[in-house]
Amino acid sequence: SGSSGINAEYGYQGENKMTAENLGVVFGPTLMSTRDPNNQFSSTEYQLVKTLIDYYSWIYHVDVDEVALKEDRLRRAEEELKKRMSNIAAPEGSSHTSWIVEVFFLRDSVNIRVDAGQTLREVSAEILNRTKLGDGDYALHEFLCDGSLKRPVHLSEYLLNTTLTLWDERVQRSWLAIDSNNMKEKMKKAAGRFAKDSQEHGTLHVYEGRKKWREVSVKLCQENLSYSRLRGRCTINLENHTWYLGCEAGCAPPTEHTFTLRSTDQSSREDQFRVFCADEEQELWRWLWRINAVKYQELDYRLVRSKRAMLSTSSSHRSSFILTNDR
């Protein structure tokens, strides 16, 4: 609402000098305007706007503790960003600042410089060239919650955006690592078998918390995945979610064939994780293929090495490779 936006400005009055009085003068004529062109802005209208700001939390039933918690998270995130940015210099001849992603492999590590606009495709050659990985079908994977959740990173993704998700305090220890590109083959088999379906529907188990699961009817139509629940129907916009294979520890799923949808909307009040379980492995990969196709037309995950590096790298070497940020 307009009041919440003005109240946000009021929270920075120490920096922007926008006290409740000043905000009342600035926004009062707009918020309290009438259709009468001859109407003049009065002190009463100014005072009303000031009162809305002063008593915002009481009038709109805002949980002050919840707001304070979110502001504290934002403050600490800003401090962390400033701390990291202060140690990073812009590349020579560049007008913008890039980020350094620390890469671990074997018992050593290297730093990969990543610009905000670079996709994984643009840096995959450099990543592979600076490791001793031999020829093979490799993909970069994102691991969350101590490795319980795993997904391949698409080559079209902006690597910096993916790396920043690892700093989210709501998830446990997380990292990026190179692993075999076996998920692609499993999804390709599901794609070949179910490619003629224009929609997807079936039965899955959904996690309701406290180790409780409920069997539901699920439908995927375009970018929306929906399922029935006790009160109405839940609809998930897959454009705002990222899928992961697996689920957090302690969920006790009916089978091992689980996947998780994580919300990328930081302002949403909904659960960050939605966990589903299929009865059979083939069903799991069918759903993941359909969900993946919402954002990406191709299963383009394989890291690409430059031809020059392929000639100089022996295929007998293999190493683990981790991109992470110390917390």
Side-chain angles (χ1 to χ4, degrees):
S1 67
S3 298
S4 62
I6 296 175
N7 191 70
E9 290 294 327
Y10 175 62
Y12 291 93
Q13 61 176 305
E15 301 176 11
N16 58 25
K17 308 302 181 183
M18 296 304 290
T19 62
E21 291 81 0
N22 290 339
L23 287 168
V25 172
V26 173
F27 291 100
T30 300
L31 296 176
M32 298 298 155
S33 62
T34 67
R35 294 183 179 181
D36 184 0
N38 298 320
N39 183 62
Q40 298 295 319
F41 182 63
S42 67
S43 60
T44 302
E45 294 162 329
Y46 145 77
Q47 188 63 40
L48 178 57
V49 175
K50 178 180 180 300
T51 301
L52 288 174
I53 297 172
D54 286 334
Y55 296 97
Y56 170 79
S57 60
W58 178 76
I59 295 174
Y60 295 98
H61 306 287
V62 175
D63 189 332
V64 178
D65 293 335
E66 181 181 351
V67 173
L69 179 61
K70 290 183 177 180
E71 290 179 345
D72 182 61
R73 287 177 176 174
L74 287 173
R75 178 185 57 79
R76 285 188 282 120
E78 289 175 353
E79 291 176 353
E80 179 69 16
L81 288 174
K82 291 179 180 179
K83 178 181 177 182
R84 293 177 182 274
M85 292 295 289
S86 64
N87 297 323
I88 301 173
E92 184 177 354
S94 174
S95 60
H96 65 278
T97 303
S98 58
W99 290 68
I100 298 297
V101 177
E102 189 173 12
V103 177
F104 296 89
F105 65 100
L106 295 178
R107 296 185 178 182
D108 201 356
S109 66
V110 295
N111 292 327
I112 301 295
R113 188 181 296 276
V114 180
D115 294 334
Q118 283 188 307
T119 63
L120 175 58
R121 187 190 308 276
E122 294 175 287
V123 298
S124 65
E126 180 182 1
I127 291 174
L128 287 176
N129 292 350
R130 299 181 65 178
T131 68
K132 296 182 180 180
L133 282 169
D135 297 334
D137 191 359
Y138 299 108
L140 183 65
H141 290 74
E142 180 185 0
F143 291 83
L144 298 183
C145 303
D146 285 323
S148 298
L149 307 181
K150 173 184 178 180
R151 75 173 182 97
V153 180
H154 199 270
L155 291 185
S156 65
E157 289 186 45
Y158 294 111
L159 185 56
L160 182 57
N161 291 351
T162 303
T163 305
L164 291 176
T165 64
L166 306 181
W167 297 350
D168 192 334
E169 62 181 15
R170 293 175 295 179
V171 298
Q172 303 170 29
R173 182 173 178 267
S174 307
W175 62 89
L176 295 174
I178 286 184
D179 202 350
S180 61
N181 193 19
N182 57 355
M183 290 193 193
K184 174 182 176 181
E185 293 303 318
K186 293 179 179 180
M187 283 191 283
K188 282 179 65 177
K189 290 182 180 179
R193 181 177 178 183
F194 300 100
K196 295 182 179 179
D197 297 337
S198 59
Q199 296 183 356
E200 192 64 69
H201 54 84
T203 301
L204 290 172
H205 302 271
V206 61
Y207 185 58
E208 296 185 324
R210 299 182 179 181
K211 299 183 180 180
K212 294 182 179 179
W213 293 80
R214 183 168 60 89
E215 190 175 63
V216 296
S217 174
V218 183
K219 180 179 180 180
L220 193 158
C221 183
Q222 295 181 344
E223 73 276 8
N224 292 319
L225 184 145
S226 61
Y227 62 90
S228 58
R229 56 183 179 183
L230 297 179
R231 296 183 179 181
R233 192 166 183 83
C234 178
T235 300
I236 301 174
N237 187 333
L238 296 176
E239 293 284 356
N240 302 326
H241 287 74
T242 303
W243 69 265
Y244 295 86
L245 182 67
C247 63
E248 289 185 274
C251 290
T255 73
E256 62 180 352
H257 312 306
T258 59
F259 69 91
T260 299
L261 296 178
R262 181 191 183 191
S263 173
T264 56
D265 184 0
Q266 301 296 322
S267 62
S268 175
R269 289 178 174 269
E270 297 181 356
D271 295 336
Q272 183 185 15
F273 295 120
R274 297 290 181 91
V275 187
F276 299 88
C277 178
D279 289 328
E280 299 179 359
E281 182 180 11
Q282 187 64 29
E283 287 289 307
L284 168 68
W285 292 109
R286 181 182 73 172
W287 282 104
L288 289 181
W289 171 68
R290 284 297 190 190
I291 292 171
N292 184 81
V294 171
K295 289 186 177 181
Y296 309 113
Q297 295 296 322
E298 302 292 337
L299 298 174
D300 206 356
Y301 295 107
R302 181 174 181 173
L303 292 174
V304 195
R305 190 193 304 273
S306 66
K307 293 183 179 180
R308 179 179 180 182
M310 292 177 64
L311 295 175
S312 60
T313 303
S314 171
S315 60
S316 62
H317 294 287
R318 180 174 181 174
S319 64
S320 60
F321 177 93
I322 301 176
L323 291 81
T324 186
N325 290 283
D326 295 333
R327 291 182 176 272

